Amino acid sequence: MKIETIAIHGGNVITDTLKPIIQPVTLSTTFEHQEDSMLYTRLENPNRKSLETVMSSLEGGADAAAFASGNAAGNAVFQALPAGTHMIAPDDMYHGMKMLLQTVYNGKLEVQFIDLTDPENLRNAIKPTTGLLWIETPSNPLLKISDIRVLASIAKKNDLKVVCDSTFATPIYQQALELGADIVMHSSTKYISGHSDILGGILVTRVKDDFWQSIKNVQGLAGAVPSPMDSYLLTRSIKTLPYRMKAHAFNAKRVADFLENHPYVEKVYYPGLASHRGFETAKSQMKGFGAMLSFLIKGNANEADHLIGNLKFFSNATSLGGVESLIERRSKVQVGDPGIPDQLIRMSVGIENCEDLIEDVDQAFKATFKP
């Protein structure tokens, strides 16, 4: 099956004798003892199983584990590591995951944050106690591109597990397992859901090994799993994921082109632009460039806020990946992060009419920077 067909049929498991076209929601927390039955919904649920099956198929993996949030998914990986493990992560790692490592795992894991766009930095950072490499590409919010193939090759030579956060790319535009990662992670709150109304996270593994079993133990015993209804809604949302991503990427490229040529824009961070530092790497490992971009205005933070306030179709809000366009001045969220300029604006381009979006951005600039 091609990926569009997998998205529609890969998670639709019908066991009801009435043969409904869509799998029903199974809300029961427990199941009657019988051969091959599920036992308890914290351990397994029909809707969660369908979600994990379709995501595993989309990523070309051997198994998947769904969680109640993206951070819960990452947390399961970190919990599966032996205490004192040294792990390597990108210096621009998603700030929520970075805070998790710096607070909850302070004193439990040794974490080193480096620039993974230069593979030589990884070679120099590996120690005898290093056990995990965490890659995030494209990154949030600077859209840095790391070469998964090269980094995974270095990691394998040093017996490191490799996890790739592919949230921005989705399985539609990036196959991290095929590129060498052991596990791919998604915040399914974002494009997998696509409608800004479900919280979730998911891991997909290339092979079922002992490390994966440790992660599954965390999932089942710690119990940070999505509800049957959230699992059902995510599986439903996945049916339109391939076509939503095409519309997202179409709009984002045109908005990025508009911004790159705007006199009040200093720089645009979008991997689909030839001017992007990681453009060639992105072309080699991505099937499309996604719908996230950031840009620097030729102005200050106050003017960036005014620009955002003058927009009509972009909501000033955190998160991303919904059908509606969102925008925010990122340093308001990542307060005090020296890597994030005060006037940097992050944009999640939705699937509204592209001409409407560009006209909206144009009028907002004119209203903000009046002659």
Side-chain angles (χ1 to χ4, degrees):
M1 288 189 292
K2 301 296 189 295
I3 202 161
E4 296 87 353
T5 308
I6 293 171
I8 291 172
H9 294 286
N12 207 34
V13 181
I14 306 297
T15 57
D16 193 308
T17 56
L18 295 176
K19 299 296 180 183
I21 297 301
I22 299 299
Q23 179 181 4
V25 182
T26 303
L27 296 174
S28 180
T29 58
T30 190
F31 302 87
E32 188 171 329
H33 293 300
Q34 55 181 320
E35 189 176 355
D36 297 324
S37 175
M38 294 182 179
L39 180 68
Y40 187 58
T41 206
R42 169 168 52 79
L43 302 172
E44 198 172 21
N45 170 274
N47 298 107
R48 192 169 86 233
K49 185 65 176 176
S50 292
L51 170 61
E52 292 170 344
T53 298
V54 69
M55 282 300 299
S56 180
S57 297
L58 288 173
E59 288 286 3
D63 196 14
F67 295 85
S69 70
N71 267 32
N75 185 64
V77 174
F78 308 146
Q79 282 188 303
L81 294 170
T85 296
H86 174 252
M87 67 169 280
I88 298 168
D91 56 358
D92 59 334
M93 186 181 202
Y94 163 58
H95 85 109
M97 202 74 76
K98 193 172 187 177
M99 288 176 64
L100 172 65
L101 286 167
Q102 290 175 326
T103 55
V104 175
Y105 287 92
N106 183 31
K108 301 177 179 69
L109 297 175
E110 182 187 355
V111 188
Q112 187 172 352
F113 299 100
I114 64 173
D115 180 5
L116 287 174
T117 62
D118 183 352
E120 196 61 31
N121 292 335
L122 173 61
R123 291 189 179 95
N124 294 333
I126 295 171
K127 306 193 313 189
T129 55
T130 308
L132 177 72
L133 168 64
W134 185 281
I135 303 170
E136 181 182 323
T137 183
S139 73
N140 180 7
L142 294 177
L143 283 297
K144 290 183 180 180
I145 301 296
S146 297
D147 192 321
I148 300 171
R149 289 187 189 91
V150 172
L151 295 174
S153 176
I154 295 169
K156 294 306 172 191
K157 290 175 183 176
N158 290 274
D159 296 321
L160 311 184
K161 286 293 181 183
V162 179
V163 179
C164 180
D165 182 344
S166 199
T167 296
F168 276 18
T170 79
I172 307 305
Y173 287 146
Q174 187 166 272
Q175 298 284 309
L177 301 182
E178 185 179 300
L179 294 166
D182 295 298
I183 295 171
V184 61
M185 176 263 176
H186 295 278
S187 170
S188 45
T189 308
K190 313 305 192 294
Y191 291 103
I192 306 301
S193 162
H195 295 80
S196 302
D197 56 4
I198 311 167
L199 192 67
I202 196 156
L203 302 170
V204 181
T205 187
R206 186 169 50 84
V207 295
K208 296 180 183 179
D209 56 11
D210 290 343
F211 185 63
W212 179 249
Q213 186 56 52
S214 295
I215 290 171
K216 292 287 283 186
N217 289 342
V218 173
Q219 181 200 34
L221 298 175
V225 293
S227 70
M229 181 59 74
D230 282 353
S231 298
Y232 164 82
L233 290 172
L234 284 168
T235 306
R236 185 191 66 171
S237 294
I238 287 169
K239 294 176 186 293
T240 60
L241 177 63
Y243 292 99
R244 281 190 283 110
M245 291 310 299
K246 290 176 185 178
H248 277 297
F250 177 89
N251 283 357
K253 177 60 166 63
R254 279 143 190 83
V255 171
D257 286 338
F258 173 80
L259 290 169
E260 188 173 43
N261 292 294
H262 198 282
Y264 283 101
V265 174
E266 181 179 325
K267 187 173 184 179
V268 180
Y269 302 87
Y270 181 67
L273 294 175
S275 59
H276 190 284
R277 180 183 169 190
F279 176 66
E280 293 300 328
T281 301
K283 275 203 311 181
S284 73
Q285 68 185 21
M286 299 180 74
K287 299 175 182 177
F289 301 108
M292 293 302 301
L293 62 90
S294 294
F295 62 98
L296 286 173
I297 65 164
K298 292 179 179 177
N300 55 36
N302 186 52
E303 288 168 320
D305 287 336
H306 279 297
L307 175 66
I308 292 170
N310 285 324
L311 289 163
K312 299 175 182 177
F313 299 135
F314 289 79
S315 297
N316 184 6
T318 293
S319 200
L320 56 105
V323 293
E324 65 289 318
S325 294
L326 300 178
I327 196 166
E328 67 179 353
R329 185 164 65 83
R330 191 59 188 169
S331 64
K332 278 190 170 182
V333 177
Q334 292 181 242
V335 179
D337 189 327
I340 309 300
D342 284 342
Q343 76 275 33
L344 181 85
I345 295 173
R346 191 188 73 176
M347 181 182 285
S348 172
V349 183
I351 62 173
E352 301 94 339
N353 182 279
C354 190
E355 291 181 10
D356 288 338
L357 294 179
I358 291 174
E359 287 176 8
D360 189 26
V361 175
D362 187 38
Q363 68 80 25
F365 267 107
K366 290 174 179 175
T368 303
F369 298 97
K370 296 177 181 178

